[in-house]
Amino acid sequence: MDEEQLFAFETWGFFAVEGALTPAQVAELKAAAAERGPELYAMRPETGGFWSQAYVDLLDLPVISPLLDELYGGPRSNGMPAFRIDHINVHTHGAFNKDLAGGRIHGANERLLDPQRPHELHKIYFGRNQTGAYENGLVTVAYELEDTVCNDGGFGCLAGSHKTPFHCPEAWRDLAKGVHPMITRVPARPGTAIVFTEALHHVTLPWTASSTRTTLFYKYTPRGESWTGPERFFQPGGADGWRGIDDRKRAILTPPSDEMPGQLAGRVRRKI
């Protein structure tokens, strides 16, 4: 990460990469989402897998993958990624976002909220180890495919809340009842990638843009961990048949190999 990205992630819990996608990629991604229809909001193996070549390419995007490697402790000496894809959501004006008056703030640093709970049962976390290398659980790359540069929808958060041991005030949570002035609105042009730790309190802003929403959420974990359940796991051969499928992409698609250590609202952190 460069100096600005490092400062932003440490201080606010997120940073934006403008121009992460080309206009051609944005167009292909939008067209494939529109063809699938607004009611399908998650990309899963059982619903046909990847929707187009552009969705496959996002697994290991050259402008994003080195950043993810650093967020997961640094690149591996064998050239393999330090991360795996946990699950992929696609937010449109469909099933996931029928009420676009505003979402509810979610996400938290569970290491700080419940420090007595075993770390292997924490769904998400943020920090550095004793060597100074990053240790992250669930990290999301959100690709905005519409223009929200005038703060008329998209990603919002409580900047810096990934470091708090306190819950978000309940009165702030529901943005359909109003956007609290402490919420940071993150403007984005089409093709911008917003990289954030899910230990950050984050939220969907009320959508007031003239266009319909299309935002892609690629959610990653360390190679030996997961946040979602096995029913959403991809497999190493899950993208076979598409161009550019190499050992790196197969590693990114590989699920952890062990059994979950426990159950927590249907979602747990697992570690090998």
Side-chain angles (χ1 to χ4, degrees):
M1 293 186 290
D2 65 25
E3 182 182 33
E4 293 184 4
Q5 292 165 342
L6 179 63
F7 179 84
F9 194 80
E10 284 277 14
T11 306
W12 301 325
F14 74 93
F15 59 88
V17 181
E18 294 186 7
L21 303 177
T22 67
Q25 286 175 304
V26 170
E28 180 183 335
L29 292 162
K30 288 176 61 175
E35 182 179 349
R36 288 281 174 157
E39 301 305 312
L40 195 60
Y41 65 87
M43 190 173 298
R44 299 184 181 183
E46 68 269 23
T47 58
F50 294 95
W51 296 353
S52 77
Q53 181 67 50
Y55 284 88
V56 176
D57 293 342
L58 292 189
L59 287 171
D60 195 21
L61 203 63
V63 72
I64 297 296
S65 287
L67 306 176
L68 292 172
D69 273 329
E70 185 168 350
L71 291 174
Y72 288 116
R76 301 299 185 258
S77 59
N78 61 2
M80 290 294 101
F83 54 89
R84 59 173 290 272
I85 190 71
D86 192 74
H87 59 289
I88 301 170
N89 289 344
V90 181
H91 290 196
T92 66
H93 272 36
F96 203 86
N97 287 284
K98 286 187 181 299
D99 179 6
L100 293 172
R104 284 184 60 83
I105 295 174
H106 55 284
N109 189 330
E110 294 189 351
R111 274 189 169 182
L112 297 179
L113 289 176
D114 189 4
Q116 302 306 312
R117 186 176 181 83
H119 285 183
E120 64 268 17
L121 297 184
H122 284 160
K123 290 181 291 184
I124 49 181
Y125 66 96
F126 165 91
R128 288 179 179 271
N129 63 24
Q130 293 179 341
T131 69
Y134 274 117
E135 289 186 335
N136 281 287
L138 195 63
V139 169
T140 296
V141 183
Y143 295 98
E144 291 287 4
L145 304 187
E146 301 292 343
D147 193 340
T148 64
V149 77
C150 293
N151 292 327
D152 45 10
F155 181 78
C157 65
L158 293 172
S161 58
H162 60 300
K163 294 185 177 181
T164 183
F166 301 105
H167 290 280
C168 172
E170 189 60 34
W172 298 12
R173 285 190 181 273
D174 189 353
L175 269 61
K177 298 179 180 179
V179 181
H180 193 279
M182 287 295 291
I183 293 173
T184 297
R185 300 171 181 259
V186 182
R189 300 187 188 280
T192 296
I194 301 169
V195 182
F196 63 96
T197 168
E198 295 246 357
L200 177 73
H201 292 307
H202 56 281
V203 68
T204 298
L205 295 166
W207 191 272
T208 59
S210 58
S211 60
T212 55
R213 186 185 189 194
T214 311
T215 307
L216 315 179
F217 294 86
Y218 276 57
K219 296 173 179 281
Y220 296 93
T221 63
R223 285 278 298 278
E225 300 178 12
S226 75
W227 185 79
T228 192
E231 72 280 359
R232 298 184 71 177
F233 287 171
F234 290 90
Q235 298 296 327
D240 285 351
W242 297 101
R243 296 190 308 273
I245 301 305
D246 54 14
D247 288 343
R248 274 188 59 90
K249 287 190 177 68
R250 290 190 179 92
I252 291 169
L253 290 165
T254 299
S257 59
D258 70 327
E259 295 297 324
M260 291 187 176
Q263 191 74 17
L264 181 62
R267 300 168 182 170
V268 301
R269 174 176 177 261
R270 38 187 272 167
K271 187 173 183 179
I272 58 176

